[in-house]
C-alpha cells in the first residue's frame, strides 16, 4: 500500500494522537545513533528553519532546544523523513555528549541475552 | 536525573502504555538508518534470541518477523538500548530493501524548507 504521503514530495507528517513524530539522531561523522526523541509541528519547523535540533520534551511538556542548558547543541546537516512520514532522521554535528548521563550516545549499552553490557 | 534503569546493567525496558518501545534499525555496513518500527516484549525477546529482526505491527496488531513475506530479512549484529530503555538500536545486515516501497531505506526523502526531495 502506497499513497501520496509515501511517494510524493509534499511534507505531510503523520502526527500521533499526541501530535508527535519520532526523531532519530545520528552523528554525521561516525554514523552512530546518538538519541531518539520526539517532535511536534513547532519543533520540526524550528529544526528545519534554524538548523539546530529542537525537540518536544514529553516529560516537561515544552519545546526543547537541545543544548539550551547543557551547551551540547546539535547542528543539523540534513533532515530526512520516512515513507509514512511519522519519523524523521537528523544527521548532525554534535557539540558534545547527546546523553544527559554524559555519554556521547544514549545507546551506551548492548543487550546480551537477558542482561546489558556497557559499550562506552 | 539518573536511576538504576539508566546506569545499571539489568534489561528493564520502559514499555509505553501500548506495551511498546521504539526500534531504530541501521545498516551495519553503511550506517544508514533503514527504518523505525516498534517492539513489544515478545518481539524484543524473539529478536535477541533468534538474531533476526522481529517487530510488532501496530497496523496489523501482530508480531512481524521482518522479511517473512518479502524475503528481506534482517540479520542482527547487535542490539543496543538507550539510557531510559524506551528505545533500541538494531545494527543489521539487510537481505534486501527495508522499505515496502522498494527503497533500501525508508528515509528516501530529505526535508528542504516546506517540501521534500528524493535522495534515493
Amino acid at each position: 500500500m502506497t499513497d501520496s504521503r509515501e511517494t510524493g514530495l509534499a511534507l505531510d507528517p503523520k502526527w500521533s494522537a499526541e501530535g508527535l513524530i519520532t526523531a532519530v539522531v545520528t552523528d554525521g561523522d561516525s554514523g552512530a545513533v546518538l538519541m531518539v526523541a520526539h517532535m511536534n509541528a513547532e519543533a520540526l519547523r524550528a529544526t528545519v528553519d534554524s538548523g539546530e535540533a529542537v525537540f518536544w520534551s514529553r516529560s516537561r511538556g515544552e519545546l526543547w532546544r537541545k543544548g539550551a542548558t547543557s551547551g551540547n547543541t546539535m547542528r543539523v546537516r540534513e533532515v530526512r523523513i520516512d515513507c509514512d512520514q511519522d519519523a524523521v532522521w537528523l544527521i548532525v554535528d554534535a557539540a558534545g555528549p547527546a546523553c544527559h548521563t554524559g555519554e556521547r550516545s544514549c545507546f551506551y549499552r548492548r543487550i546480551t541475552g537477558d542482561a546489558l553490557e556497557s559499550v562506552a
Side-chain angles (χ1 to χ4, degrees), chain A residues 4-69:
Chain A
S4 62
R5 177 174 269 152
E6 298 189 343
T7 58
L9 296 178
L11 178 60
D12 179 24
K14 193 166 90 184
W15 309 106
S16 71
E18 296 75 34
L20 302 174
I21 55 174
T22 302
V24 178
V25 181
T26 64
D27 185 291
D29 290 326
S30 72
V33 177
L34 298 177
M35 59 183 289
V36 171
H38 295 81
M39 289 184 174
N40 63 1
E42 191 181 355
L44 177 60
R45 179 46 47 202
T47 299
V48 171
D49 288 350
S50 72
E52 299 272 345
V54 180
F55 306 106
W56 176 257
S57 170
R58 293 181 300 174
S59 57
R60 296 195 303 273
E62 62 180 26
L63 215 62
W64 167 32
R65 185 169 290 274
K66 179 71 179 166
T69 54

